[in-house]
Structures are given as structure tokens and as C-alpha cells.
Amino acid sequence: MSFGDKLFQLRSERGIYQKEIAEFLSVSVGTISNYENGVHSPDLETLCKLAGYFNVTTDFMLELTDNATSMDKLNVPMAEGHTIGSALNTLQDLSQPSRQQMLNYLTMVRTCEDMPRKNRIISRQKQTIEQQSQTIDRQAQEINHLKEILRLQNEEELQTQEALQG
């Protein structure tokens, strides 16, 4: 995918017209069209402005990475002296087996982080099941009661018929 295709994709995904970008960059709509059609490429300053406008890196716009994470997000502190970007750099320096171990660990951490939410869901589901069980028990008692009433009515009808015949 070319720079122009990437620019068109970013613009289209966000529902932005060429005119809006042209006004932001103080250029003509034709210039934006030329960028998208591969007729011209933006200079470095314009490329940086476009990356900032779409909140992505210039590397992403130039197809050097599939990661659209902006520099603002990469510079978010994670712990003292470490940012998300520095953690990614550390991750890249690991061997493939170590990367896999790190991903496994992160999956475990995410699972542990999700546990309280999942436990609340399970608790609500248990309450619902208990309520449904109680409703079923009451309905079963009502059915048994109705069966007993029908049995008694049938006995009375039989006694009445026997009395009329006898």
C-alpha cells in the first residue's frame, strides 16, 4: 500500500473529507488529491503534521509498520523510567522463546485482571439460576396441588356415578 493509499484509508475510516485536511495543512484540495493518487508526496513537515492529525506515527503512514499507535501513546509511562515504547523495545530485543513466554505471562496477568469482573458475572448468573430453581419448585408444587384436586374431583365424580347407578 502506498502513502497515498494509507492517507485515503485513514481519511475514509474517520469520515474526513479532503477539504478538511487541506484546510488543516493550508494547502489545496488538489494537493491532497495528488497525495492520495501518488502524483506527489508530502515534505517531511507535512508528513509529520498528517501523522499528528491522524494520531499515528510517520512510520505507520509510510507503511514501515502495521502498528498505528501514536507517539503520545508510546510515551505513556508504565513504571518509573519506562514507557510503553521502551517496553516494546525491550520485547523486541528478546529471543522468540522469551517473547512467547512474555505473551503467555501477559495473558495470565490479563486473565487475573478480568477475574473480579468474571466473578461478578458468575455470581449474578448463580443468583438467576437460584431464582429460576425456586420458580420451578413453586410451579412443581402448584402442578402437584392441581393434580391432587383433579384426583379428588375424579373420585367424587366416580362416587356420584356409582350412587346414581346403584
Side-chain angles (χ1 to χ4, degrees):
M1 182 182 293
S2 68
F3 168 80
D5 293 333
K6 180 59 76 174
L7 177 59
F8 176 79
Q9 176 189 8
L10 288 168
R11 186 176 61 75
S12 298
E13 287 174 353
R14 289 162 173 81
I16 299 170
Y17 294 104
Q18 287 180 342
K19 180 179 179 184
E20 293 175 61
I21 297 174
E23 289 173 359
F24 173 76
L25 295 174
S26 301
V27 298
S28 70
V29 173
T31 299
I32 302 303
S33 178
N34 284 339
Y35 290 162
E36 288 184 0
N37 291 314
V39 176
H40 298 292
S41 296
D43 60 24
L44 183 58
E45 181 181 343
T46 303
L47 175 65
C48 291
K49 285 181 182 179
L50 283 168
Y53 182 84
F54 290 110
N55 202 25
V56 297
T57 63
T58 54
D59 284 354
F60 180 75
M61 295 208 59
L62 294 172
E63 291 291 310
L64 298 174
T65 181
D66 291 335
N67 188 343
T69 303
S70 70
M71 290 307 295
D72 291 341
K73 290 181 182 177
L74 290 174
N75 288 327
V76 170
M78 287 180 56
E80 190 174 327
H82 296 282
T83 63
I84 291 174
S86 68
L88 286 173
N89 289 336
T90 300
L91 188 59
Q92 287 176 329
D93 291 340
L94 296 175
S95 66
Q96 186 58 37
S98 293
R99 287 182 196 169
Q100 186 59 53
Q101 288 176 338
M102 179 60 80
L103 290 173
N104 293 343
Y105 177 75
L106 290 173
T107 300
M108 182 193 67
V109 169
R110 170 60 61 97
T111 299
C112 291
E113 192 175 73
D114 287 346
M115 284 303 242
R117 182 183 60 82
K118 289 179 180 179
N119 285 339
R120 285 191 302 273
I121 291 169
I122 290 169
S123 179
R124 284 194 304 265
Q125 289 173 338
K126 284 180 178 178
Q127 288 174 346
T128 301
I129 290 168
E130 180 60 32
Q131 290 169 351
Q132 290 171 341
S133 176
Q134 290 171 359
T135 300
I136 290 169
D137 288 345
R138 280 193 306 273
Q139 290 173 341
Q141 289 173 357
E142 288 175 23
I143 289 170
N144 287 334
H145 180 70
L146 291 172
K147 283 180 178 179
E148 182 62 22
I149 290 171
L150 285 173
R151 187 187 65 75
L152 292 173
Q153 285 176 346
N154 284 339
E155 283 181 11
E156 285 179 19
E157 285 180 21
L158 283 175
Q159 288 173 359
T160 304
Q161 286 176 359
E162 288 174 0
L164 290 175
Q165 292 176 355

